[in-house]
Amino acid sequence: MPYDLNQPPSGQRRPRRLPPLARGGAFLTTAALTAVTLSGCGGSSGPGAAPAPGGPEATGTASAAPSGSASPAGGTGTPGRPGTPGAPSDAKPSTPAGGPPLAGKVVVIDPGHNPGNFRHTREINRLVDIGTNRKECDTTGTATNDGYTEAAFTLDVSHRLRTLLEKQGATVRFTQDDNRPFGPCVDERARIGNEAGADAVVSIHADGSGSGNRGFHVIHPALVKRGAADTTGIVGPSRELAERIAGKFVRATGSAPSNYVGGGTGLDERGDLGGLNLSTVPKVFIECGNMRDAKDAALLTSSQWRQKAAQGIAEGIGSHLLG
């Protein structure tokens, strides 16, 4: 499809420079992000490109599978495994004195898209209510020019992130783990985090913008109060979560903030994403890089860099949760 919601049609939205951060009054520029030490997806077509590249909730019509697709969807997963949609939604575990730092915290990881989405174009093109209007259930995601899919990338980083968070004692749940044929839809992704009573939800993505557009950005919710959408209670904590992740991501990966979204801040406030509009718990999306840029693609396809990306996200989450 021609546009990623991170790159909307001309005239619909322009990235805005966010105001200075309260802490230190500095913009989240590359230098400022690198110095932060806090205590507490569409693009042009190409060989092997995903047929329906898109961002977190791109619009348009999905088509056939890209080369290099991830493993077939529909796996059974591990019953009761924390991190799977089928895991019991019991009360949050208590935090033992002197235990792991994130014990008692619940984190929901939302791997963007699903490897099986391209087989279910009718289902993922179905319109769902995102509070302010109706949008497609989901998209296939984008891919590098060599066919490494966003769905494969997001699952890999999500698995690494889960391991890091669980080592710190967090209870981790996934919205999908390649254990269902397609989806979930964007409204269900939000609902999974809400029903888990998550302390933080992070949706993992990679962008599909034009060549030359590089870097990462963290998307956090704007103030939206219309229809079923009401982000009043999560705007502040979500912004703080985004700031923490952005700062730690720079330090862990060495990547610069996006040069095409967010005015160099590494942050992007959005009011058009159902996954954020319908959330009642702190939630952000992270676009880890641009799969359509050769230099960014070289990073995204590196297992060593993906481990660094997971480390940066985990440190940002931990910093936010520990205050």
Side-chain angles (χ1 to χ4, degrees):
M1 59 202 79
Y3 294 105
D4 182 334
L5 280 183
N6 295 328
Q7 293 288 296
S10 177
Q12 286 192 10
R13 181 183 68 87
R14 297 181 186 276
R16 71 179 183 86
R17 182 175 293 275
L18 295 169
L21 299 182
R23 290 186 297 276
F27 281 101
L28 278 176
T29 59
T30 305
L33 277 168
T34 304
V36 170
T37 306
L38 301 171
S39 59
C41 283
S44 58
S45 59
E57 298 166 20
T59 58
T61 303
S63 55
S67 62
S69 294
S71 58
T76 57
T78 305
R81 171 75 163 86
T84 62
S89 297
D90 298 327
K92 293 182 183 180
S94 58
T95 306
L102 298 184
K105 302 296 185 181
V106 175
V107 178
V108 170
I109 300 174
D110 177 27
H113 313 288
N114 181 318
N117 277 357
F118 70 86
R119 301 187 187 93
H120 297 271
T121 56
R122 180 177 61 84
E123 291 89 344
I124 67 169
N125 284 323
R126 176 175 62 87
L127 298 181
V128 298
D129 185 1
I130 67 164
T132 55
N133 59 295
R134 296 176 68 80
K135 254 180 198 175
E136 284 81 1
C137 159
D138 202 1
T139 70
T140 61
T142 188
T144 66
N145 291 333
D146 291 332
Y148 180 57
T149 65
E150 182 183 2
F153 170 82
T154 63
L155 276 174
D156 182 86
V157 173
S158 295
H159 289 156
R160 296 170 187 269
L161 177 57
R162 176 172 64 191
T163 298
L164 292 169
L165 291 172
E166 288 184 339
K167 283 182 178 179
Q168 297 183 68
T171 297
V172 179
R173 294 174 182 148
F174 275 23
T175 58
Q176 63 91 13
D177 196 3
D178 194 12
N179 55 352
R180 53 188 293 164
F182 64 92
C185 297
V186 295
D187 57 337
E188 184 182 353
R189 289 175 186 264
R191 190 161 57 248
I192 290 169
N194 295 345
E195 293 177 351
D199 295 287
V201 183
V202 178
S203 189
I204 310 296
H205 286 268
D207 210 354
S209 186
S211 179
N213 291 339
R214 296 198 61 195
F216 76 92
H217 60 279
V218 186
I219 304 170
H220 58 98
L223 178 60
V224 176
K225 192 171 183 179
R226 182 156 57 93
D230 185 356
T231 62
T232 304
I234 68 165
V235 168
S238 296
R239 167 65 188 255
E240 200 247 356
L241 174 61
E243 292 170 358
R244 300 278 182 148
I245 290 176
K248 298 297 185 180
F249 198 83
V250 165
R251 293 172 64 85
T253 66
S255 292
S258 170
N259 63 6
Y260 62 101
V261 172
T265 65
L267 302 176
D268 188 26
E269 183 178 273
R270 299 280 294 272
D272 60 330
L273 300 178
L276 297 180
N277 289 352
L278 297 175
S279 183
T280 58
V281 294
K283 182 174 182 178
V284 299
F285 285 60
I286 180 167
E287 297 282 1
C288 296
N290 176 22
M291 300 195 97
R292 294 298 189 167
D293 177 81
K295 292 181 179 179
D296 267 12
L299 299 176
L300 297 167
T301 54
S302 163
S303 60
Q304 291 84 359
W305 187 89
R306 293 195 299 272
Q307 184 63 33
K308 292 178 182 179
Q311 184 68 45
I313 298 169
E315 290 178 1
I317 294 170
S319 175
H320 170 75
L321 295 181
L322 294 175

